[in-house]
Amino acid sequence: MPIYSYVALKQGKEVVKGEVTASNLKDARDVIRKMGYVPTKISEYVDSAQKRSGGLTSLSLTEKIDFISTFQILLQSGIPAVESLMFMEQEAARKKIRNMSGMLKTQIMAGSTFADTLARYPNVFGHIFIGLTKAGEESGELEKTLERIKDLLTKQANIKGKVISTLMYPMFVIILACLVILVMLIFVFPAFKEMFEQQDKALPMITSIMINAGDYLKTYWYTLPIFIVAFISFVYGVIRWEPARNVLDKVVLKIPLLNNMILYSNYSNFMSVLSVSYDAGIPIVDCLHLGVITLNNSVMRNKMSSAIVKVQQGLQVSQALKSTKIVPKMLLFMIATGEQSGRLGDMLERGVNFLDKTLDGIIDTMTKMIEPIMLIVIGSIVLVMALALYLPLFQSYMS
């Protein structure tokens, strides 16, 4: 329940201050009056840690892993939750974790459970974290559930790291290529401009384009950062705009190899959450809802949501997922086997291992294919620049 701070009069003249726990402002006022005080000011309490957080809205994966690892170790050592959070508030290396620990400590000291306290900050922890923690607390296996959540978050961080590392090389090559092009346009082509102008014949179109582009950049260089910022803002806006994002999600699923990486990385997160939440004793429909939250692709998210509706109507999970026509057959077979044998939890875990191995293979294949593709890109840029420089010279020699 919320905490309210108050200023009140005791016996009509002495000013007292304090905090009370109540479901709403009216109940808080009643509690204060029952204490024999006359309230003059009541407001919802915000502790110093929450003020210092500056409107804490989210935690990164690394910060969540750090928080839950430290908290779990302290709980396993037999230290009560409040004392554990008090220690983290004072000693945690990251400021956001210290601030967050202070907020949680205050709420628990006021009588809230750990899961209920987390539920007050959905933007910080996320619905998956909150749902699994609530299930673990209700089943009396909070420490075990926290360990599962830590493994889940670590796995998600590993997948994210693999995908980013795969894309880092082409991004680096593209940025390097852009810098080389800028140097050529601004410094190299202007040096040849005077020599080219001495020729009687008209310059090749590609050479004229390069020289004009170089002249423009030398004169109006300040438009380049403006263009870069505008382009990044446009791309960001398109990605954030839901109709455009939906179209983009459909397009990427049609690109060979890239679609497999997107599909299997989403499947891996989905199945990991499904496995962990099912082991925590959460009903299968709620497990599926938590799994859908991890899906970044709108096409997959919509199809999985429709599958959940069919499960609610009584269809088996394997049959409902099969109706989406996007889930790998091997995964469907494993889930169906688990349902028939009563070992769904084991088969979900095996499914996670299958997806991880498949995703590793896809990433390795992409990494190997990116290198020759980048060589072709760099070779094409070099060819265009070389043609732009040497075509006028060849033209003069041929005349």
Side-chain angles (χ1 to χ4, degrees):
M1 288 190 294
I3 300 174
Y4 292 90
S5 59
Y6 66 86
V7 178
L9 294 176
K10 181 178 180 181
Q11 296 179 350
K13 52 183 178 179
E14 183 182 351
V15 178
V16 293
K17 298 180 181 179
E19 293 93 30
V20 295
T21 302
S23 57
N24 53 52
L25 188 62
K26 182 179 179 299
D27 290 345
R29 186 178 291 108
D30 293 338
V31 171
I32 296 170
R33 284 173 177 167
K34 288 178 181 178
M35 295 168 61
Y37 302 152
V38 178
T40 60
K41 182 179 179 181
I42 304 174
S43 58
E44 188 168 356
Y45 177 76
V46 180
D47 69 349
S48 58
Q50 191 169 359
K51 291 178 182 178
R52 290 195 305 270
S53 69
L56 186 63
T57 57
S58 63
L59 293 176
S60 66
L61 268 178
T62 303
E63 288 167 341
K64 287 182 181 178
I65 292 170
D66 287 348
F67 168 76
I68 200 170
S69 298
T70 306
F71 188 59
Q72 182 212 2
I73 290 172
L74 293 173
L75 288 181
Q76 285 182 337
S77 301
I79 302 174
V82 172
E83 294 182 19
S84 299
L85 291 170
M86 190 177 299
F87 171 81
M88 294 170 66
E89 181 186 15
Q90 297 171 354
E91 304 296 336
R94 299 174 184 267
K95 182 179 179 180
K96 288 175 73 174
I97 294 179
R98 293 197 301 270
N99 295 340
M100 181 186 61
S101 299
M103 288 190 287
L104 298 180
K105 176 203 70 178
T106 301
Q107 300 298 322
I108 294 175
M109 288 177 66
S112 297
T113 65
F114 181 65
D116 289 340
T117 303
L118 296 184
R120 296 193 64 192
Y121 305 98
N123 292 332
V124 176
F125 298 98
H127 295 288
I128 296 173
F129 196 128
I130 294 170
L132 293 176
T133 303
K134 187 174 181 62
E137 199 167 55
E138 290 176 351
S139 64
E141 297 183 344
L142 180 59
E143 295 175 16
K144 188 175 181 180
T145 301
L146 289 176
E147 185 174 0
R148 290 170 178 160
I149 296 174
K150 181 188 71 174
D151 294 340
L152 174 63
L153 295 177
T154 303
K155 177 179 166 16
Q156 291 178 347
N158 291 337
I159 293 174
K160 184 178 180 180
K162 289 177 183 178
V163 174
I164 291 176
S165 63
T166 302
L167 299 177
M168 281 293 291
Y169 175 68
M171 290 300 298
F172 172 77
V173 171
I174 291 172
I175 293 173
L176 182 62
C178 291
L179 292 175
V180 170
I181 292 173
L182 287 175
V183 171
M184 292 286 291
L185 291 177
I186 296 175
F187 299 103
V188 178
F189 279 98
F192 284 83
K193 181 180 178 181
E194 192 172 323
M195 182 183 68
F196 291 156
E197 289 177 345
Q198 294 176 357
Q199 298 181 10
D200 296 333
K201 294 186 177 181
L203 292 175
M205 183 177 67
I206 187 173
T207 305
S208 298
I209 292 174
M210 296 297 177
I211 291 176
N212 292 334
D215 290 341
Y216 176 84
L217 289 174
K218 287 189 71 174
T219 306
Y220 304 101
W221 58 268
Y222 52 86
T223 61
L224 183 61
I226 295 175
F227 171 78
I228 293 174
V229 172
F231 177 75
I232 294 174
S233 300
F234 172 76
V235 172
Y236 180 78
V238 168
I239 293 175
R240 296 282 293 179
W241 188 38
E242 189 171 349
R245 178 63 184 269
N246 293 339
V247 173
L248 184 62
D249 286 341
K250 291 179 182 177
V251 171
V252 296
L253 291 180
K254 296 179 181 179
I255 301 176
L257 201 59
L258 179 61
N259 61 347
N260 283 335
M261 186 178 75
I262 292 172
L263 287 171
Y264 278 90
S265 61
N266 275 275
Y267 287 142
S268 184
N269 287 329
F270 175 82
M271 287 298 296
S272 297
V273 171
L274 193 62
S275 176
V276 171
S277 56
Y278 186 80
D279 284 344
I282 297 176
I284 189 63
V285 173
D286 293 335
C287 294
L288 292 168
H289 278 297
L290 291 175
V292 167
I293 295 174
T294 67
L295 300 177
N296 296 321
N297 187 278
S298 60
V299 176
M300 298 181 66
R301 190 164 54 248
N302 293 336
K303 290 189 175 183
M304 288 298 186
S305 296
S306 65
I308 294 176
V309 174
K310 294 180 180 179
V311 174
Q312 290 174 321
Q313 294 172 348
L315 198 64
Q316 287 188 325
V317 174
S318 57
Q319 293 298 318
L321 295 181
K322 184 178 181 180
S323 66
T324 63
K325 298 181 180 179
I326 60 171
V327 180
K329 293 181 179 179
M330 181 66 175
L331 196 58
L332 292 173
F333 177 72
M334 297 174 76
I335 295 174
T337 303
E339 288 178 318
Q340 294 172 5
S341 63
R343 297 171 55 242
L344 181 58
D346 292 339
M347 297 310 293
L348 289 175
E349 187 174 351
R350 292 174 185 268
V352 172
N353 295 332
F354 161 73
L355 291 170
D356 288 346
K357 291 180 180 179
T358 305
L359 181 61
D360 287 340
I362 292 171
I363 291 176
D364 289 341
T365 303
M366 283 197 69
T367 304
K368 293 176 182 177
M369 288 189 64
I370 283 173
E371 293 180 5
I373 291 174
M374 290 297 101
L375 287 176
I376 293 173
V377 171
I378 295 297
S380 300
I381 293 172
V382 172
L383 177 63
V384 170
M385 292 296 173
L387 288 174
L389 278 175
Y390 291 108
L391 275 179
L393 299 178
F394 293 153
Q395 194 177 56
S396 63
Y397 291 150
M398 295 295 291
S399 58

